[in-house]
Amino acid sequence: MSLQKISEFDPDYHNTLEGNDIKGMGVYVQGTDEKIGTVNDAVVDDQGAFRYLIVDIGFWIFGKKILLPVGKSRIDSTANRVYVVGITREQAENLPEYQEHTTLDYDYEQQVRGGYRTPSVESSATLGSVAGGSTPSPDSYTYADDADLYDVSAHEDQTFKLYQERLVASKQRRKSGEVAISKRVETETARVAVPVEKERVVIERVTSQDTGKVVSAEAADFRGGEVAHIDLYEEVPDIQKEAFLREEVKVQKVVDKETVEAQETIRREELDVDTDGTRIENKTDRG
């Protein structure tokens, strides 16, 4: 089964782990505050299962990196720590060194597994052997053969984190439209009535009381060429235009409020317990 670094298996592994990253976590001896190193990287198999942590044990042995099987670690994401189970400084010194060019093949893993075997395990089974005394080949070996090194479910005390999704509502402001307001000039023909006056000459002949009476030659003043001049006037309309304020238009924005309902499918993890007839006790610290 081929091994590779987690970033090579899944370049987007940060999102797969919901933003968590074990790289940079401090490595401590379980039950103590003794720091022995820092997690440099993680190694997964071709199924994406964690198999090793690459640990720089510079606090113990300067400049040395080793592979730590996941079954020998306890990850505390809250404290940002990794606790090492059942490993001594002497074991760490005897472990094969990991370097960037190290080939993670079956033979190298066998050396790593041998460095983590406890005396009790070594006395009951030959290195790399399985029940029945046969030595597995690279093709037949499975990590289940070394559950104490790789199976995190083999731990006596385990913590399950049950996650649940919830809807988080937020608002985004976006442009929904645009209103353009401008002025234009329209023309029309207007009519106005203006009363005007015109002067004219009226000649009226009337009969005098003295009509027919004889007058003396001296009184009869015959004069030819006598002309009377009368000036006649008339009014003509004088039309001019003037501008005036017809109305005032105010343009403003108002905000209408409304409640928009949205729905989405959310997930929640529940714990399934298969007791197989075994009596268990449930405790909770929730009120």
Side-chain angles (χ1 to χ4, degrees):
M1 185 173 292
S2 61
L3 297 176
Q4 54 189 315
K5 291 183 179 180
I6 187 173
S7 58
E8 298 170 353
F9 177 81
D10 181 10
D12 197 31
Y13 75 94
H14 292 90
N15 293 332
T16 304
L17 298 177
E18 298 182 350
N20 298 321
D21 195 349
I22 61 175
K23 294 182 182 180
M25 283 188 175
V27 181
Y28 294 79
V29 176
Q30 186 180 30
T32 71
D33 283 330
E34 180 185 3
K35 186 174 182 179
I36 66 172
T38 306
V39 177
N40 181 265
D41 213 323
V43 176
V44 299
D45 61 21
D46 52 10
Q47 300 299 319
F50 280 82
R51 294 307 179 189
Y52 300 97
L53 300 180
I54 301 176
V55 179
D56 184 344
I57 55 173
F59 282 79
W60 265 357
I61 306 170
F62 178 74
K64 184 175 183 179
K65 295 179 183 177
I66 62 171
L67 292 187
L68 175 66
V70 292
K72 289 292 184 180
S73 66
R74 304 288 190 276
I75 299 176
D76 188 341
S77 57
T78 303
N80 201 36
R81 288 185 175 187
V82 176
Y83 291 102
V84 177
V85 181
I87 180 176
T88 64
R89 180 170 183 172
E90 181 181 0
Q91 281 181 301
E93 292 176 345
N94 295 327
L95 285 170
E97 183 176 3
Y98 171 82
Q99 297 179 349
E100 291 300 320
H101 62 271
T102 299
T103 302
L104 300 177
D105 56 11
Y106 176 79
D107 293 335
Y108 180 77
E109 285 192 89
Q110 283 291 72
Q111 297 179 45
V112 173
R113 285 189 279 266
Y116 284 101
R117 290 195 175 278
T118 62
S120 60
V121 175
E122 290 178 344
S123 62
S124 60
T126 305
L127 173 62
S129 65
V130 295
S134 61
T135 301
S137 66
D139 295 332
S140 62
Y141 178 83
T142 66
Y143 291 107
D145 296 333
D146 288 293
D148 58 318
L149 297 181
Y150 303 105
D151 188 3
V152 294
S153 66
H155 301 163
E156 293 182 359
D157 298 324
Q158 302 177 59
T159 300
F160 289 89
K161 292 183 178 181
L162 303 181
Y163 293 93
Q164 178 176 343
E165 293 178 328
R166 61 185 176 188
L167 295 181
V168 179
S170 61
K171 297 186 293 184
Q172 292 182 343
R173 187 177 179 86
R174 67 178 183 181
K175 183 177 179 180
S176 61
E178 181 178 331
V179 176
I181 300 176
S182 62
K183 296 192 300 182
R184 71 176 186 275
V185 177
E186 293 186 352
T187 61
E188 64 178 23
T189 301
R191 298 181 183 276
V192 62
V194 181
V196 295
E197 294 180 351
K198 293 183 179 181
E199 295 179 340
R200 58 189 175 88
V201 175
V202 178
I203 299 175
E204 182 181 1
R205 291 182 172 86
V206 298
T207 301
S208 173
Q209 293 179 356
D210 296 331
T211 298
K213 289 183 178 182
V214 177
V215 296
S216 63
E218 291 80 5
D221 186 10
F222 291 94
R223 289 180 295 178
E226 183 176 357
V227 179
H229 293 276
I230 301 175
D231 293 331
L232 300 178
Y233 292 91
E234 68 176 3
E235 295 177 332
V236 294
D238 184 10
I239 307 299
Q240 297 181 359
K241 296 186 291 184
E242 62 179 6
F244 64 96
L245 179 64
R246 180 167 63 91
E247 65 177 326
E248 187 175 283
V249 178
K250 292 184 178 180
V251 179
Q252 60 182 353
K253 295 191 298 183
V254 296
V255 178
D256 295 328
K257 294 184 178 181
E258 63 179 7
T259 300
V260 179
E261 293 188 357
Q263 65 179 23
E264 185 59 75
T265 301
I266 59 176
R267 298 172 296 173
R268 181 179 62 194
E269 294 181 338
E270 294 289 351
L271 192 65
D272 290 332
V273 181
D274 185 2
T275 63
D276 194 20
T278 303
R279 181 180 178 183
I280 64 172
E281 180 179 357
N282 288 321
K283 295 182 179 180
T284 180
D285 58 359
R286 294 181 297 180

